[in-house]
Each structure stands twice: as structure tokens, then as C-alpha cells.
Amino acid sequence: MKEELQKIIKGEILDSDEVLEKYSHDASIFEIRPELVIFPKSKDDIMSLVKFLNKNRKKYPKASITVRSAGTCMSGGAVNDSIIVDVTKYMGHIVSMNRIKDYQHGLLFSGANPVTISGEAVVEPGCYYRDFETEAEKYNLLLPCYTASKTINAIGGMVGNNSGGELTLKYGKTEDYVKELKVILADGYEYTIKPLSRRDLYGKIAQNDFEGELYKKINDIYENNKEEISSRRPKVSKNSAGYNIWNIWKKDKNGEDIFDPCQLIIGSQGTLGIVTEVTLRLVEPKPNKALAVLFLTDLKNLGSILNEILKHNPTTIESFDDKTFKLAMRYFGEFVKQNGIWDSIKFSLSFWPEFFMLLGGVPKMMLLVECWADDQFEANKIANEIIKSVKKYNVTGRTTSSETENEKYWKMRRESFSLLRKHSGKLRTVPFIDDIIVPPQILPEFLPKLDALIEPYKEKMIYTIAGHAGNGNFHIIPLMDFNDPELPKIINDLSASVYKLVIEYGGSITAEHNDGIIRTPFLKAQFGEKMVKIFEEIKDSFDPQNIFNPHKKVHVETSDIEKYMHAGRHNPVHGS
């Protein structure tokens, strides 16, 4: 196949052992060795590749394409046994960026006020977020749905997973910021995918071509299953499980019905088509910030505490547990090493207030509540009001006084797991229950039950809990012995029991990290068999020959988890 493709593709096509080994992994537990890795020069190479596979389906019946950007997916979404297409080398340009005036975003985010859009950008999928952020700062703009891995991830992966992060509480997820997409569909041609009025939708359908037939099929799927789709929608503020069929029809700011096929592409992990260009909405960040740090000695009033905090409309509510704090203290020297001498002294002294506050013991959980405002006085006022409002629950708290102090806590939140991994010996990251979400008000009841489910396995794993407490979204990523023959059974059994609990409380098995290989087998538990059939219909409508990233989102069994992780069992540590 390589020789044939070299005649039609201008980019590189590689198949050396070194390259294939590198692309056998993403940040998940899986190892799947591809046949080829292609670095397309442009969208023309990708269109040629799709058309080639269509034309030669009989000759290469199992050939498929998995598009990959930064490879940070924790669910196995970026690995495949056929062709990997890496878009970061040549398709990572920022095409345009500009500010706009007086454009009111038409969607309300969970628990937040309407967000004013101040700019737009057009970007290719291989663009790293860090580069995008640097350019956006020149315009005083921000794409707020960034993840904790924003220094290493790329825009294409954010769209593929429907990513969110610490600002999601106030600003929403990737789905809220995609205005328009350019996508190569299964016929090998690029289409502009964007919201359509009913009249425009019927006009597309009347074209009687691949695009029109696809839109008809998708609309028919929705109309024929509207009640089932509505009843199965997770009752939480974030969800990346399944295809986002719930948002295919929505109202614009004038109350008109809008058909938005972008919502299916977002979060589809490249299983429905290949994104070649993204038009993004951007916001102007507030210039001043204040951080309130809250210390909880127990979790019995966590729901009430969160509800009290939410009344003040903070920008973010992040959390980490006592294990995370102890870990940060244990390896404190490594935090200090990352700073210069004077900064290290200031960083060390910044812990002096905690010395007195923690004499009674390490808190069960710490909440980081960040407040953004137009001036510093207002930001500080909100932070102090939050601390006062939760004192009735015996919560102690303090506001930070400098950027150094702020950074201290954010380092704990963002980097403690990296420290844990560095000091784990032969253990490696095993993300499988890493992205659960439940309604935040039930956390005091939910978290002890979650801990009871994990308790029987504690001899087999080391783990910390951190996450987006304001949304009820927690990340649990254990370190385990990958050579343990019981590992596949532990993963499947514990996943099933944790997800059962999550679903009982109206949550979702993945808020941000998506299904991939690791969670697709549990979609029947999440949504029911009929809804999974609807997902399969969506996949078949977009991709009738199963060319785009197979074995994700649909058609994966629990036995596949063991199958695909088995090959990587003896490999060195890699991961999130």
C-alpha cells in the first residue's frame, strides 16, 4: 500500500520500527501498532487518501484512518492498527485571528451568565494550544475550554474529545466555541459544516448528493427517536460519552430552530470525518483575579458548600484531596527546584499560613475558587465573601496575596500526579475511571460510596482524586503494576461498578476525556441498548465503509480492552 500511496500523497509516509513504535501509543493504557504513519502536507493529501481507500476497499478491506494531533488522548482514541495521519507537522497553522464587537453568544452555559464573544479565529487541527494561546494573548483573547494538559495538547484533539477544563464552570466546553468546521467526509471531499436554519437544511437535502443524503439521514434518526434521545441525555453540565445528538437541534438567540451538525463532529474522536479547519469563538478574559483557598475537614457538607460558593458566580472551583496535598509536601523540593533561588525562597515562605491552619491535620479536601473581575478590588471582594459564606460549615479559608501563592496551589492541582508517577517505581498510569461526573449537590453521598468501591483494590493501586468540583467532575487515575495478570479483570470489574454508581446518580462516565476504547463497552450501561443502536446508525450514516477511526464510540466489547492493552504490558512507562 505504501508504494501506491506515495504516488498520490505529497507528504511523508513512514513505516520504520521506530516511528511505528512511537505511534503505537497515546496517553492511554493501549498499544496498537499501525502499518503506516502519514504526515499530510495539506487537506489534499487527506482527500486523496480517503478516495484511495474507497476505491481499493476490496483490495484493502480493513484499511482505516486515525487522525492524530498531539496524542494526549487518555481513552485510546489516537491509536489504530492501520494508518495514522499526524496533522501536527504541516497542518498546524493559525489561518486568521481577529477581534469583533458586540457579538452576544447565543447559548447559556451551565450555571453561568451569557458569555460575550470578543473574537474569532480560524485554525488547522494540528495547531498546539500553547501556540494558539500565545497568539490569542496578543489580541487579549482566550479560548477558555483548554485542558490541564494545555502545554502539550492540540486544537484538533480538543474538538475530537469535546474538551473542557478548569474554566468550564463559567465558560463551557469546546462545543460552545466551535462556530464552523471544514470536514472531509467519507466520499473524500471537504465540506463546510455549520449551523443551518430549517430552510437551509431542506435546501441541503434537496441537493440529492452525499452531503444532502447524510443530513437527511441524521435528521431522520433524530426525529424518529426524539423521545428516546431526550430521555437518555445525562443530567450533568458536561458529557463526552456517545455522539452529541442531543444538541443537533437548538434555538438561536431569536428563538429560531437551528440544525447544527457540528455538534456531532465535536466529540466524535475522528470517527465521522476528518476535520481540516476549525472556526472558533474567543472571549476577552477579565484582567484581575483573586483566589480563595478553602480547607474542608470532612465532606459531609460538600454539596451545601458548593451551592453556597456558586451563588457568587466564581470563574472556577477546582479541588484536590488530602493525598494530593501530602504528596506535594512529601516532594516539596521538586516544586522548589522549578524556580530560581529568590522565587524558591518566596515559594517556600508562601506555605507559612498553611503551617498554622493545618496544625489540626491535613484537610480531607481543598477547594480552589478563582474569581475574575474587571478590577482587583472587586475580585478580592468576591473571594472574601465566599470565604465568609462557608464559615457556617466550619470551613477555614484564605485568599492568596500574590501570583506566587496562586501558582503554588495550581502546581499542586496540575502537577501532583506527575510527581506521583515519577516516584512510582515499576507502576504506571492506568486511566480507566479517570473522568466521572455527577451532579455536584450529591457529592457528599456519592464520594464515600465511590471510596468503598475502590477500597478492595487499594493494595493494587495508588491514586489521588482531583477535579472540577463545581461541575461534580473528578479525575481518578491510578498507578498500577501493568504486569499484574489480574489487571484487565480489575479494570473491567471496577469500571462496571463505578459506572453503575455514577449512572444511578444521573451522571456520565466521561465528562471530558471521551469514550475511545476504554469506555465504549460501557455505553450500553450509560444509555441503554436502543441509544447505542442510534449511535451505530449515526456512525454508519457518516462512514458506511468504516474507514474513520474504527473501534471507538461503537463496536467495542470489554474483551477488547484486554486485547488491546495486552501488547503493551511489558513496555516502559508512558502516559498522561
Side-chain angles (χ1 to χ4, degrees), residues 4 45 49 68 100 108 124 208 220 237 271 290 298 301 303 310 332 373 391 398 407 409 424 436 465 519 543 550:
E4 295 171 87
D45 277 351
L49 177 59
R68 175 179 174 127
I100 57 177
L108 284 175
E124 292 180 323
N208 199 29
D220 286 348
S237 60
T271 61
D298 59 59
N301 292 315
L310 288 169
F332 175 78
K391 281 186 177 179
R398 59 182 297 264
E407 190 60 24
Y409 290 109
S424 62
I436 56 176
I465 299 178
R519 274 179 285 274
D543 185 21

Side-chain angles (χ1 to χ4, degrees), residues 86 127 402 539:
D86 186 334
C127 178
S402 68
K539 168 67 172 174

